[in-house]
Amino acid sequence: MEGKEMVIRLPGRSCAPGGIGETTVLRHKEVHHFFFLPFREQPIYSTRAHVFQIDPNTKKNWMPTSKHAVTVSYFYDSTRNVYRIISLDGSKAIINSTITPNMNFTKTSHKFGQWADSRANTVYGLGFSSEHHLAKFAEKFAEYKEAARMAKEKSLEKMELASSPSQESPADIHSPLTPPVTADLCRINGTGDDVTLSDVSPNSVLQSDLSPTTPTLAHSPATNKHWEAELAALKSNNAKLTAALLESTANVKQWKQQLAAYQEEAERLHSRVSELESQSSQTNVIKSQKTELNQTIEELECTLKAKEEEMVRLRDEVENAKHLQTQKDELTQKLEETNLRNKELEEQLADLEQRLESSQVDQESLRKNLKTLLEILDGKIFELTELRDNLAKLIEDS
């Protein structure tokens, strides 16, 4: 590190056997292009889900980062043994999270899961269409997390071996790029300590390490090949250490921000606990009031139910009353019609009685006349009988 800028010096190779040429210097902006562009990541598992991020202000509410379900993929970098979760919404990367051994994927519901990324200083959430997709994603997360842990352990073992003295060399051999790396100096990917590179000049280290054996190296092709192989191994080791340095440098800043956020959250929770403790004395009163309110609500519900039943009964009675009123109107109309008909019949009866009386008078008069006529007829008959008898006598006498 030179000031605040990271500088990596790579030894060049001269035309002379075993010689060291000019040193190549890579600035901070050139490190990514030199070390990471040749890497190729391949997707190893993909699914679709709705993506959310925690609100950075409240640390409670979820903010959707995609309007619809997008593809969420696990990527594996075989060169660095790194697993990442990546999701793109169009050309925008809404998830770019490197899986580390200290990460945990938590299922918060049947179709929703989340994990915290300390590097991005955020919490990602995924909403799946089914519980099966959530379970599959969580299973893959645990699998790749374990693979990342094993890769980290192997990387630490390799760096410890690279930092120890070579048994094949007659003298102690150190990296021309970095000083010996120990487990205390290099804690990578999630432990919270920085990975630093010594500011010792690589050229001075090379001169101090190689000067005792320079004549032998100049006249030994086998030793030259050994040094070339060692140099290639050290270049590879330096690339890994540089990547670890970049990751750890980013981690430190993110962890500091996260620590400040956690402290602020702890203070807020402490004040909240104090408020709740001050309010705990009112809990019994609130419970009793709640019980009374529940009883009152139950009584009001019973009363309301009785009133509703009474309303139903009254509604039925009103319907029956309307029906009876209709029948009453019909019967009243029929009664009026009957009264009119009865009146007509009474008038007809009175007329008939008058006619009967006149008829009886006429019959009485006729009876009297007939009786008179019968009496007259009887007299005439008697006279005729006498006349007949007289005529008969006259005839007999004659």
Side-chain angles (χ1 to χ4, degrees), residues 1-7 27-29 199 245-246 249:
M1 302 288 290
E2 295 182 358
K4 294 184 179 179
E5 183 179 12
M6 184 180 66
V7 177
R27 299 290 176 179
H28 181 274
K29 296 180 180 180
D199 294 332
L245 174 62
L246 294 175
T249 303

Side-chain angles (χ1 to χ4, degrees), residues 304 306-317:
L304 180 62
K307 294 294 182 182
E308 289 178 350
E309 293 176 353
E310 183 70 17
M311 288 179 62
V312 172
R313 186 181 64 79
L314 292 174
R315 193 179 292 111
D316 294 338
E317 291 181 357

Side-chain angles (χ1 to χ4, degrees), residues 349-365:
L349 180 60
D351 186 33
L352 288 175
E353 286 178 352
Q354 290 178 0
R355 289 181 182 180
L356 181 61
E357 288 178 358
S358 62
S359 177
Q360 287 177 352
V361 171
D362 292 340
Q363 285 181 359
E364 186 67 25
S365 175

Side-chain angles (χ1 to χ4, degrees), residues 99-112:
I99 298 176
T100 59
N102 60 341
M103 281 186 177
N104 289 311
F105 185 81
T106 306
K107 299 179 183 178
T108 57
S109 67
H110 295 295
K111 296 182 181 180
F112 193 86

Side-chain angles (χ1 to χ4, degrees), residues 319-333:
E319 293 293 334
N320 293 332
K322 288 182 179 179
H323 182 65
L324 292 174
Q325 184 67 30
T326 303
Q327 291 181 350
K328 180 182 176 181
D329 294 339
E330 292 177 355
L331 291 175
T332 302
Q333 185 177 1

Side-chain angles (χ1 to χ4, degrees), residues 47-335:
T47 186
R48 293 186 67 82
H50 291 271
V51 180
F52 300 86
Q53 280 191 14
I54 201 71
D55 190 344
N57 297 324
T58 63
K59 299 293 184 181
K60 293 181 179 180
N61 301 324
W62 288 107
M63 298 189 306
T65 56
S66 62
K67 297 181 180 179
H68 50 79
V70 296
T71 301
V72 182
S73 303
Y74 285 100
F75 279 78
Y76 174 61
D77 185 346
S78 59
T79 306
R80 295 190 299 158
N81 287 330
V82 172
Y83 294 87
R84 288 201 299 166
I85 302 175
I86 297 177
S87 178
L88 300 177
D89 187 6
S91 60
K92 177 184 177 182
I94 55 179
I95 297 180
N96 185 5
S97 177
T98 301
I99 298 176
T100 59
N102 60 341
M103 281 186 177
N104 289 311
F105 185 81
T106 306
K107 299 179 183 178
T108 57
S109 67
H110 295 295
K111 296 182 181 180
F112 193 86
Q114 66 183 48
W115 77 95
D117 189 342
S118 59
R119 300 179 180 180
N121 193 24
T122 187
V123 179
Y124 293 104
L126 297 178
F128 295 89
S129 59
S130 66
E131 186 175 358
H132 171 72
H133 289 85
L134 172 60
K136 188 67 175 178
F137 188 90
E139 178 184 350
K140 293 295 183 181
F141 193 98
E143 177 184 346
Y144 301 146
K145 171 186 172 182
E146 180 64 19
R149 184 187 65 81
M150 296 178 64
K152 175 186 174 182
E153 291 179 354
K154 291 181 180 179
S155 177
L156 287 174
E157 291 177 359
K158 290 181 179 179
M159 285 187 288
E160 289 176 357
L161 292 176
S163 64
S164 63
S166 176
Q167 297 179 356
E168 296 179 0
S169 175
D172 292 340
I173 302 176
H174 300 291
S175 170
L177 304 178
T178 59
V181 180
T182 63
D184 293 334
L185 180 62
C186 181
R187 296 181 182 177
I188 301 174
N189 200 6
T191 60
D193 295 333
D194 291 343
V195 178
T196 59
L197 294 178
S198 176
D199 294 332
V200 178
S201 173
N203 292 330
S204 63
V205 174
L206 280 174
Q207 291 175 2
S208 62
D209 288 343
L210 299 180
S211 57
T213 58
T214 301
T216 306
L217 292 176
H219 300 285
S220 176
T223 307
N224 186 28
K225 292 181 180 179
H226 167 75
W227 274 104
E228 290 179 355
E230 183 69 17
L231 182 60
L234 291 174
K235 284 184 179 180
S236 176
N237 188 28
N238 187 74
K240 293 179 180 179
L241 290 175
T242 304
L245 174 62
L246 294 175
E247 291 179 351
S248 299
T249 303
N251 283 341
V252 169
K253 184 177 179 181
Q254 293 169 0
W255 288 331
K256 287 180 180 179
Q257 295 175 354
Q258 189 174 8
L259 178 60
Y262 286 161
Q263 289 176 348
E264 182 180 355
E265 183 70 12
E267 292 177 358
R268 189 188 65 79
L269 291 175
H270 181 70
S271 61
R272 180 59 179 168
V273 169
S274 300
E275 293 176 1
L276 293 176
E277 288 177 351
S278 63
Q279 295 175 358
S280 62
S281 59
Q282 302 176 357
T283 303
N284 295 330
V285 178
I286 294 173
K287 287 183 178 179
S288 62
Q289 291 178 353
K290 182 180 178 182
T291 303
E292 293 176 358
L293 289 175
N294 289 334
Q295 294 176 354
T296 305
I297 290 172
E298 291 178 357
E299 293 175 357
L300 291 175
E301 287 179 349
C302 293
T303 305
L304 180 62
K305 186 176 181 181
K307 294 294 182 182
E308 289 178 350
E309 293 176 353
E310 183 70 17
M311 288 179 62
V312 172
R313 186 181 64 79
L314 292 174
R315 193 179 292 111
D316 294 338
E317 291 181 357
V318 169
E319 293 293 334
N320 293 332
K322 288 182 179 179
H323 182 65
L324 292 174
Q325 184 67 30
T326 303
Q327 291 181 350
K328 180 182 176 181
D329 294 339
E330 292 177 355
L331 291 175
T332 302
Q333 185 177 1
K334 288 181 180 179
L335 181 60

